[in-house]
Amino acid sequence: MALPSEKNYLSHIAFDSVIFGFSGQKLKILIMEYHNTGLYALPGGFVMHNEDLDLAVQRGLLERTGLDNIYLEQFHTFGNVERYKPEVMRNILQADGHAIDNDHWMLERFISVAYYALINSDKVETRPDQISDSLGWYNVEELPELILDHNTIVKTALKYLQLNLSIKPIGKNLLPNKFTMKELQQVHEAILGTPLRRTSFQRRMLGLDILERHEKRFNGKAHKAPYLYSFVE
Amino acid sequence: MALPSEKNYLSHIAFDSVIFGFSGQKLKILIMEYHNTGLYALPGGFVMHNEDLDLAVQRGLLERTGLDNIYLEQFHTFGNVERYKPEVMRNILQADGHAIDNDHWMLERFISVAYYALINSDKVETRPDQISDSLGWYNVEELPELILDHNTIVKTALKYLQLNLSIKPIGKNLLPNKFTMKELQQVHEAILGTPLRRTSFQRRMLGLDILERHEKRFNGKAHKAPYLYSFVE
DNA sequence: TTCCTATTGTCTCACTTCGTAACAATAATA
DNA sequence: TATTATTGTTACGAAGTGAGACAATAGGAA
């Protein structure tokens, strides 16, 4: 693959995406592994000269993961000097077979605008274990060491996700269209990192008037079958 | 004043500050007027190559307003293409007496990281009406038309300020060290844009255990004198 | 001095919300 | 038919909130 050219992208500006998915019990994140280096990083990219920042992030998501029409939320911009480590970028590019001049634009300092994405289990076809060769799902609590300040970015993303849990449609974007109350509760518990009371949670959710009740889901277990719910538009 | 040189600053990256102050009843914002153009804008600036983003904003605040040690909070980064209007920047620079090449770096597209600042009435010496020749306080609801997307930036800042009102020390940073309960209530009302019940507000604030009660303040009026309060550290 | 007025601090009462526990309903199996 | 695990609902006390009432009081008026 050819290197991105300075002619196409704004210098000094990058973006990184913290892509959250939910699989059964745990909150997961998509992590990239750069080949031949053993380096792990958040999927990111650069902004084209004639491209909105938000659209650049959407495009980056599509290019790297094939995912389109994903819920995205900007949460913070990271611009500390310590995050400038040109030797890391050089290693990655060289391991990928590129010869780099010392004054190459990708070796300059970048300020990174960070977004989090929420992936609906529908779209990943309940297989959040591998999307491509170099992209993998990792439990939020069991991340490998990431390059630069990417571990900090993930922590911050989680903080904002928790903050937004009660004011933005988080659950809606992490679950399939229809889900049980228990699944919704597990999403909330995974995000908050604490157990919640079943009865209080159910009462509170139903009281919000944002859920529609559908048919029951019979799962072959020897007990009462739960109702399915969906978010009303 | 000499133009900032590209050698000193990161290209394509700017910051803008929404500086909130509180004067008696109203929430105010510091607005810059560019001389000879009649253009109004938020005070902003650029990031030096070896400078943290947060520190650049602090420096910009100090340079433009003389204010040091101010509460700052990053809230959003604006990167739409529509905000790129080189002719505006060219007008401002030319009106200031600079001859500009067509490929001057300040005429390129910028992505702007926006911060809001909270100014304690102590520091402005209860005179939030004029700080310098080209900086003035304006009521949040009565802003002039600002350049680029700066009116949108202000609206967004206010939204985040409202969001943070209950989880960050907003009142502490907009009021002098000692204040009455009524003054604190007026700050909250100005930020939220709605009246609040006096008794509920007082009960809620006292219940938070973050206020310390001091002596009364006698203001010469023919009624009971209110206690002064301060935030506990 | 005494009364009056505007404001402040507190209390009460009804209503809602939440944690907690108990209870009823039920899908499949033994 | 009885059993079991899970789900949906209800009951009850604790805590918080809106709304109003009431007491306290600093200075001015009579």
Side-chain angles (χ1 to χ4, degrees):
Chain A
M1 191 176 76
L3 276 184
S5 157
E6 179 169 15
K7 290 240 167 26
N8 297 329
Y9 296 96
L10 296 175
S11 54
H12 303 131
I13 296 184
F15 61 84
D16 288 297
S17 306
V18 181
I19 306 168
F20 288 103
F22 181 74
S23 127
Q25 310 272 341
K26 306 261 190 170
L27 197 60
K28 306 209 168 196
I29 291 178
L30 265 190
I31 301 288
M32 275 188 48
E33 179 176 3
Y34 286 110
H35 285 308
N36 307 325
T37 61
L39 295 180
Y40 294 89
L42 292 171
F46 307 108
V47 184
M48 299 199 290
H49 278 95
N50 198 37
E51 182 180 43
D52 284 350
L53 173 60
D54 288 348
L55 294 179
V57 181
Q58 279 190 40
R59 172 182 54 76
L61 218 56
L62 180 61
E63 286 175 3
R64 291 209 185 265
T65 70
L67 294 166
D68 204 353
N69 209 354
I70 295 298
Y71 181 87
L72 271 172
E73 191 103 17
Q74 183 196 304
F75 65 91
H76 195 75
T77 296
F78 295 84
N80 276 358
V81 173
E82 308 126 42
R83 74 189 311 281
Y84 175 41
K85 295 183 178 168
E87 67 280 6
V88 173
M89 183 62 73
R90 174 185 294 278
N91 280 346
I92 290 171
L93 293 173
Q94 283 180 343
D96 212 23
H98 301 284
I100 309 287
D101 290 341
N102 270 335
D103 61 349
H104 190 277
W105 72 288
M106 289 179 73
L107 297 181
E108 295 180 26
R109 177 179 167 200
F110 278 88
I111 283 183
S112 181
V113 187
Y115 286 70
Y116 68 76
L118 303 179
I119 291 193
N120 189 309
S121 308
D122 275 353
K123 315 214 170 178
V124 199
E125 277 144 1
T126 66
R127 180 182 45 82
D129 278 308
Q130 193 87 0
I131 276 201
S132 86
D133 204 31
S134 56
L135 268 178
W137 290 100
Y138 289 80
N139 286 342
V140 174
E141 316 94 13
E142 301 165 1
L143 293 183
E145 187 171 345
L146 308 179
I147 63 168
L148 307 180
D149 55 354
H150 285 198
N151 285 95
T152 302
I153 294 180
V154 171
K155 276 197 196 119
T156 309
L158 192 56
K159 200 185 72 182
Y160 279 93
L161 189 64
Q162 292 169 349
L163 251 164
N164 285 329
L165 184 57
S166 53
I167 52 178
K168 306 235 173 178
I170 307 283
K172 173 194 175 92
N173 290 291
L174 280 172
L175 287 171
N177 283 341
K178 291 186 179 179
F179 50 87
T180 64
M181 192 60 77
K182 179 168 208 169
E183 289 166 345
L184 182 58
Q185 182 178 342
Q186 285 172 328
V187 167
H188 280 241
E189 289 175 334
I191 290 175
L192 295 176
T194 68
L196 299 171
R197 312 224 151 253
R198 183 181 65 91
T199 55
S200 305
F201 181 79
Q202 174 136 342
R203 181 175 46 191
R204 181 158 55 91
M205 287 300 130
L206 294 179
L208 293 177
D209 278 335
I210 55 170
L211 294 182
E212 197 173 351
R213 178 176 285 181
H214 302 283
E215 75 279 5
K216 293 184 173 184
R217 174 201 280 166
F218 301 92
N219 57 1
K221 299 290 179 57
H223 55 72
K224 193 172 179 180
Y227 288 107
L228 287 171
Y229 296 88
S230 68
F231 286 92
V232 295
E233 291 313 313
Chain B
M1 190 175 78
L3 276 184
S5 158
E6 181 169 14
K7 291 240 167 26
N8 296 330
Y9 295 97
L10 296 175
S11 54
H12 304 132
I13 295 184
F15 62 83
D16 288 297
S17 306
V18 181
I19 306 169
F20 288 103
F22 181 73
S23 127
Q25 310 272 340
K26 306 261 189 170
L27 197 61
K28 307 208 169 198
I29 292 178
L30 265 189
I31 301 289
M32 272 189 50
E33 180 177 2
Y34 286 110
H35 285 310
N36 307 324
T37 61
L39 294 180
Y40 294 87
L42 292 171
F46 307 109
V47 183
M48 299 200 288
H49 277 96
N50 199 36
E51 181 181 45
D52 285 349
L53 173 59
D54 288 349
L55 293 180
V57 181
Q58 278 191 41
R59 173 182 53 76
L61 219 56
L62 181 60
E63 287 174 3
R64 290 208 185 267
T65 70
L67 294 167
D68 204 354
N69 209 354
I70 296 298
Y71 181 85
L72 271 172
E73 192 102 16
Q74 184 197 303
F75 65 90
H76 195 75
T77 296
F78 294 83
N80 276 359
V81 174
E82 309 125 42
R83 75 189 309 280
Y84 175 41
K85 295 183 176 167
E87 67 279 7
V88 173
M89 184 61 77
R90 175 185 294 276
N91 280 347
I92 291 171
L93 293 173
Q94 285 180 341
D96 212 25
H98 301 286
I100 309 287
D101 289 340
N102 270 336
D103 62 346
H104 189 276
W105 72 289
M106 288 179 76
L107 297 180
E108 294 180 28
R109 178 180 168 201
F110 277 87
I111 284 182
S112 180
V113 187
Y115 286 69
Y116 68 76
L118 302 179
I119 291 194
N120 189 309
S121 308
D122 275 355
K123 313 213 171 177
V124 200
E125 276 146 2
T126 66
R127 180 181 46 84
D129 278 307
Q130 194 86 359
I131 277 199
S132 85
D133 203 32
S134 56
L135 267 178
W137 290 100
Y138 290 79
N139 287 341
V140 174
E141 316 93 13
E142 303 163 1
L143 293 183
E145 188 170 344
L146 309 178
I147 64 169
L148 306 181
D149 56 353
H150 285 198
N151 286 95
T152 302
I153 294 180
V154 171
K155 276 197 197 117
T156 309
L158 192 54
K159 201 186 72 184
Y160 279 93
L161 189 62
Q162 292 169 350
L163 248 161
N164 284 330
L165 184 56
S166 53
I167 52 180
K168 305 234 173 177
I170 307 283
K172 175 193 174 93
N173 289 292
L174 280 172
L175 288 170
N177 281 342
K178 291 187 179 179
F179 49 87
T180 65
M181 192 60 77
K182 178 168 210 168
E183 288 166 343
L184 182 59
Q185 183 178 343
Q186 285 171 328
V187 168
H188 280 240
E189 289 176 333
I191 290 175
L192 295 175
T194 69
L196 298 172
R197 318 230 147 248
R198 183 180 64 91
T199 55
S200 304
F201 181 80
Q202 173 135 345
R203 181 175 45 191
R204 183 159 54 90
M205 286 301 129
L206 293 179
L208 293 177
D209 278 336
I210 55 171
L211 293 182
E212 196 173 352
R213 179 177 284 182
H214 302 282
E215 72 281 7
K216 292 184 175 184
R217 173 202 282 167
F218 301 91
N219 57 1
K221 299 288 179 59
H223 55 72
K224 192 171 179 179
Y227 288 107
L228 287 172
Y229 296 88
S230 67
F231 286 92
V232 297
E233 292 314 315

